[in-house]
Amino acid sequence: MVVFLPIFCAIYYLAFWLRFEGSLNVDGVLGEYGFRMFRSTILWAVGLKTLAFWGSGVYKIRSRYITILDLVNLSKAATLSSAALAMVDYLIFPNIMIPRSVFLIDWGSTILAVCGFCAGIRMVQDSGRIFRPQGDCRPTFIIGANQSGASLLRIIERNKESCLRVVGFLDDQSSRIGTRINGVPVLGTLNEMCALAQRYDVSDILLPADEIPGKIVRQLVEAGNSAQIQVQVLPSYQQLLSGKVEMKPRPVCIEDLLGREPVQLDMQNIRNWMDDRVLMVTGSAGSIGSEICRQLLQFSPKKLILVDRTENSQFFLERELIKLGYNGRFDVVIADINDSKRMRAVMREYQPDILFHAAAYKHVPLMESNPGEAVKNIALATKHLADLAEEFEVGTFVMISSDKAVNPTNVMGANKRIAELYVQSLAARSKCHFVTVRFGNVLGSAGSVVPIFTQQIQNGGPITVTDARMQRYFMTIPEASQLVIQAGAMGRGGEIFVLDMGEPVLIVDLAADLVHLSGLKLGEDIELEFSGLRPGEKLYEELHVAGEKHVPTCHPKIMVAEKVSFSEQFILEAFQRLSDLTEQPSDVILEEIQRILPEFQSAYLKSNQSTFKRAA
């Protein structure tokens, strides 16, 4: 403010000097009339301008980070001070009448002078970067001539400690070639990456996360490896705001290679469906359940109820959500979905409008050894919860299923399929919209293949793969969770929604990618071993039950599986028999499951049948 006082005086004097065309008398001052007018109003002009700038917060602007919004605020302050001076001139000095051109010249000169002053300070502050020897910095490219790329460029240029010098952008749109962002040209397309990198001596390329599909990332990484170029990923704004990542480049990870274009949600439809309603998520402490909770809290539910029996995981989830600013918008409930009395009390207390059922056992080999527990925790638990949803008039019940429910060869998948059938049977006669969402493997979920491979690599190997032909569909946790929410909003009851999981991935290729991304070589640094199929595992996951067709929906990544009819009486009788057999030997339980689902092909039963035939 002290610095601006003489600047304001000089600007006001300049406005009069220009208005009176530099007219001077013998004493070397302005013409008598103009000088008297200037002298009478200078204190008012400077005082009002100082107050306007103070009130608008202009003095608090940090020159190095000045933005368009700051310039707009500055213009408002200058306009306000000029208007105030005009009113003072009209009310207090009616005999003077300052010429209107003086106001206009003073207003424009003030904006230009203050902007120039801030620009000068910024040049001084950035002089170390501007005049830094370019030879000390490594040339680099940024992929994406867009908002993320421009933001990354500004961060690099303003960082005095940065050892990078951005020499150009690469973009997938050829129409942007030749344009410039902050003086840096868009040099070419992604296909020209290696040739341009060789021409400009670039060995590092920066890629803002989530900007391009994983398939293209894979191509860039493979091309870069052949040309000895390192592609590094910068975290996205969404990741930064969630506090999940550090602000530094990282090597490309497996999620980048397998990721697809971001899911586009019908936000208005989802908001109409869930805003100001009570939502409940079972299995909230699990990988999918916890991510569904995070996604749901981005909307405006009346309350979110987190239900899980795992106390420790619930504790850490609660702390995370509070840290993200969601305190007061959710309740954490410790409850076992198999405990019907406890769940009835929870439903009576909270009266949920929408229920996402994500609680279930999921480890295939363990369920093969414990089929009775699988029946209790998957099939029977879903039945009890669905019955409660109908009893307490829940608006929508969303069950999360698995692609392992399709032509199941394991106990976990078979129980998921039986649960699907029961949910569908209820939908035919219930006011509640019973909806099922079916998808495949999720990257990074607890116990999934990627964390296992990563741990094996850290231990020095070997990486164990069951079979060279094994392949799976993969989704990221946020992608799966968002599509579950979208499918729930679309459901009208009875649908089995099948999510588009892209192309299947060979597990061997997945292992090789992880070894490579760790900076190692498969077969040299890390060995690969084949252990053989485990009980209940399939080489290929399937998307269609026999006789089932997939019909497109209004969302490009969600399809509906046409219903395969079963009588409600048959399903109820099947559940009654299962509930009576949970403590029986495994073969008894498996035979009953096969009776309900003739397509169920149990390896345990096959081996026992072979043994019986040999004995006979």
Side-chain angles (χ1 to χ4, degrees):
M1 184 176 65
V2 172
V3 172
F4 277 10
L5 284 173
I7 294 177
F8 290 158
C9 292
I11 291 172
Y12 196 59
Y13 181 87
L14 175 66
F16 274 91
W17 190 85
L18 291 174
R19 167 62 181 80
F20 291 97
E21 300 178 355
S23 175
L24 301 175
N25 64 11
V26 293
D27 295 326
V29 294
L30 284 171
E32 183 179 351
Y33 176 73
F35 180 72
R36 183 164 19 101
M37 191 183 301
F38 167 78
R39 184 181 59 189
S40 301
T41 57
I42 178 66
L43 292 178
W44 283 98
V46 174
L48 289 171
K49 195 174 294 184
T50 300
L51 288 175
F53 274 59
W54 179 273
S56 301
V58 173
Y59 297 126
K60 298 180 181 180
I61 296 174
R62 294 189 65 185
S63 300
R64 187 171 186 178
Y65 305 105
I66 193 167
T67 65
I68 296 296
L69 186 61
D70 295 323
L71 297 180
V72 171
N73 198 33
L74 188 155
S75 300
K76 288 181 180 179
T79 303
L80 179 62
S81 63
S82 296
L85 181 59
M87 292 182 64
V88 168
D89 179 51
Y90 178 76
L91 297 174
I92 300 178
F93 303 106
N95 298 325
I96 295 180
M97 294 299 292
I98 301 173
R100 286 173 293 180
S101 56
V102 169
F103 293 120
L104 185 60
I105 295 171
D106 178 73
W107 174 81
S109 300
T110 299
I111 295 175
L112 290 175
V114 175
C115 289
F117 179 80
C118 294
I121 293 178
R122 182 166 175 175
M123 287 185 66
V124 172
Q125 291 173 330
D126 290 348
S127 59
R129 175 184 60 81
I130 295 172
F131 298 109
R132 182 173 55 187
Q134 297 297 305
D136 297 342
C137 303
R138 299 197 312 273
T140 187
F141 286 154
I142 293 177
I143 293 180
N146 48 30
Q147 182 63 43
S148 297
S151 300
L152 178 56
L153 173 64
R154 286 194 293 271
I155 292 173
I156 294 173
E157 289 188 335
R158 293 178 183 179
N159 185 359
K160 294 181 180 180
E161 306 300 325
S162 174
C163 59
L164 300 176
R165 174 171 56 91
V166 180
V167 297
F169 287 90
L170 303 179
D171 199 87
D172 55 356
Q173 297 187 28
S174 57
S175 59
R176 295 176 178 175
I177 297 175
T179 59
R180 288 177 175 267
I181 298 178
N182 201 22
V184 178
V186 181
L187 298 174
T189 63
L190 303 184
N191 295 330
E192 302 171 288
M193 182 185 75
C194 294
L196 289 170
Q198 186 176 9
R199 184 188 308 173
Y200 289 89
D201 195 26
V202 168
S203 57
D204 295 278
I205 294 178
L206 300 179
L207 168 64
D210 303 331
E211 288 299 324
I212 59 176
K215 181 179 180 180
I216 299 178
V217 175
R218 179 185 289 274
Q219 294 172 356
L220 294 176
V221 171
E222 291 175 352
N225 290 336
S226 62
Q228 296 184 335
I229 301 170
Q230 184 176 12
V231 177
Q232 299 187 81
V233 176
L234 270 293
S236 66
Y237 288 117
Q238 183 178 2
Q239 292 170 328
L240 289 173
L241 291 173
S242 66
K244 296 180 180 178
V245 293
E246 300 177 18
M247 183 52 193
K248 62 180 182 180
R250 61 169 172 80
V252 177
C253 66
I254 200 67
E255 285 83 356
D256 299 318
L257 297 182
L258 295 177
R260 292 177 283 280
E261 295 182 6
V263 175
Q264 300 297 324
L265 300 179
D266 183 354
M267 302 298 288
Q268 189 57 50
N269 187 28
I270 294 175
R271 288 190 183 281
N272 293 339
W273 177 53
M274 70 170 55
D275 279 3
D276 202 33
R277 288 179 169 84
V278 178
L279 315 180
M280 179 180 288
V281 178
T282 68
S284 57
S287 304
I288 294 296
S290 60
E291 183 61 26
I292 289 176
C293 293
R294 297 183 194 99
Q295 298 286 344
L296 291 175
L297 283 170
Q298 296 180 39
F299 297 93
S300 302
K302 184 176 181 180
K303 181 72 75 173
L304 176 62
I305 315 304
L306 283 59
V307 180
D308 202 291
R309 67 183 181 185
T310 311
E311 174 208 11
N312 200 44
S313 299
Q314 286 280 76
F315 171 76
F316 286 110
L317 177 61
E318 179 183 30
R319 291 184 62 186
E320 177 192 345
L321 295 179
I322 292 174
K323 185 177 179 181
L324 292 174
Y326 296 128
N327 193 19
R329 297 178 58 190
F330 64 90
D331 283 354
V332 176
V333 175
I334 302 297
D336 188 340
I337 59 171
N338 289 300
D339 186 342
S340 57
K341 291 184 179 180
R342 171 62 174 150
M343 288 307 301
R344 180 180 296 277
V346 171
M347 295 289 285
R348 182 183 299 112
E349 178 180 358
Y350 291 103
Q351 297 289 326
D353 299 298
I354 301 170
L355 196 157
F356 293 89
H357 176 39
Y361 288 141
K362 65 177 183 179
H363 292 285
V364 169
L366 284 176
M367 294 305 99
E368 292 299 294
S369 304
N370 302 273
E373 294 304 306
V375 169
K376 284 191 248 180
N377 190 264
I378 301 174
L380 296 181
T382 300
K383 178 184 183 300
H384 295 154
L385 199 60
D387 289 342
L388 288 173
E390 184 178 28
E391 178 183 343
F392 287 93
E393 299 181 349
V394 173
T396 303
F397 180 97
V398 182
M399 173 198 161
I400 296 176
S401 187
S402 165
D403 59 357
K404 293 176 176 60
V406 179
N407 301 322
T409 60
N410 55 68
V411 173
M412 191 277 279
N415 276 276
K416 282 288 189 183
R417 179 57 182 157
I418 294 171
E420 287 183 358
L421 295 177
Y422 187 77
V423 168
Q424 271 193 316
S425 71
L426 276 184
R429 59 175 174 80
S430 176
K431 294 181 180 179
C432 176
H433 295 163
F434 284 97
V435 175
T436 300
V437 183
R438 187 191 290 164
F439 57 84
N441 297 271
V442 178
L443 282 173
S445 62
S448 65
V449 67
V450 172
I452 293 174
F453 284 171
T454 302
Q455 184 63 47
Q456 290 176 335
I457 293 171
Q458 291 174 351
N459 294 337
I463 286 184
T464 54
V465 177
T466 52
D467 193 286
R469 299 165 294 169
M470 178 170 283
Q471 59 184 22
R472 292 289 184 267
Y473 293 96
F474 285 98
M475 304 181 78
T476 64
I477 293 176
E479 183 182 22
S481 302
Q482 290 171 8
L483 288 174
V484 165
I485 295 170
Q486 180 68 71
M490 294 166 54
R492 293 296 174 265
E495 301 98 339
I496 294 181
F497 289 107
V498 181
L499 305 186
D500 176 10
M501 293 168 282
E503 297 298 322
V505 176
L506 280 170
I507 302 300
V508 170
D509 292 344
L510 186 68
D513 283 336
L514 280 170
V515 172
H516 171 72
L517 293 173
S518 302
L520 304 172
K521 292 184 178 181
L522 190 65
E524 296 182 14
D525 304 306
I526 299 291
E527 295 297 326
L528 179 67
E529 292 183 357
F530 295 103
S531 57
L533 288 176
R534 295 178 297 177
E537 280 191 324
K538 293 195 289 187
L539 286 176
Y540 312 98
E541 296 292 4
E542 300 170 89
L543 298 177
H544 300 266
V545 172
E548 185 181 79
K549 295 181 180 179
H550 289 176
V551 180
T553 68
C554 58
H555 196 284
K557 292 199 172 187
I558 301 177
M559 296 169 287
V560 174
E562 288 187 338
K563 297 179 182 179
V564 178
S565 59
F566 282 82
S567 72
E568 184 178 359
Q569 184 64 30
F570 171 79
I571 294 171
L572 289 174
E573 291 175 357
F575 269 90
Q576 182 59 53
R577 292 194 302 272
L578 278 176
S579 63
D580 295 337
L581 297 176
T582 55
E583 306 303 329
Q584 295 297 314
S586 296
D587 55 345
V588 176
I589 298 172
L590 294 177
E591 286 173 358
E592 180 57 38
I593 293 175
Q594 196 168 54
R595 178 182 174 186
I596 300 169
L597 299 175
E599 69 269 24
F600 174 50
Q601 302 295 321
S602 169
Y604 179 86
L605 289 178
K606 286 181 179 179
S607 62
N608 280 3
Q609 290 170 358
S610 299
T611 303
F612 177 78
K613 288 179 180 179
R614 286 196 299 269

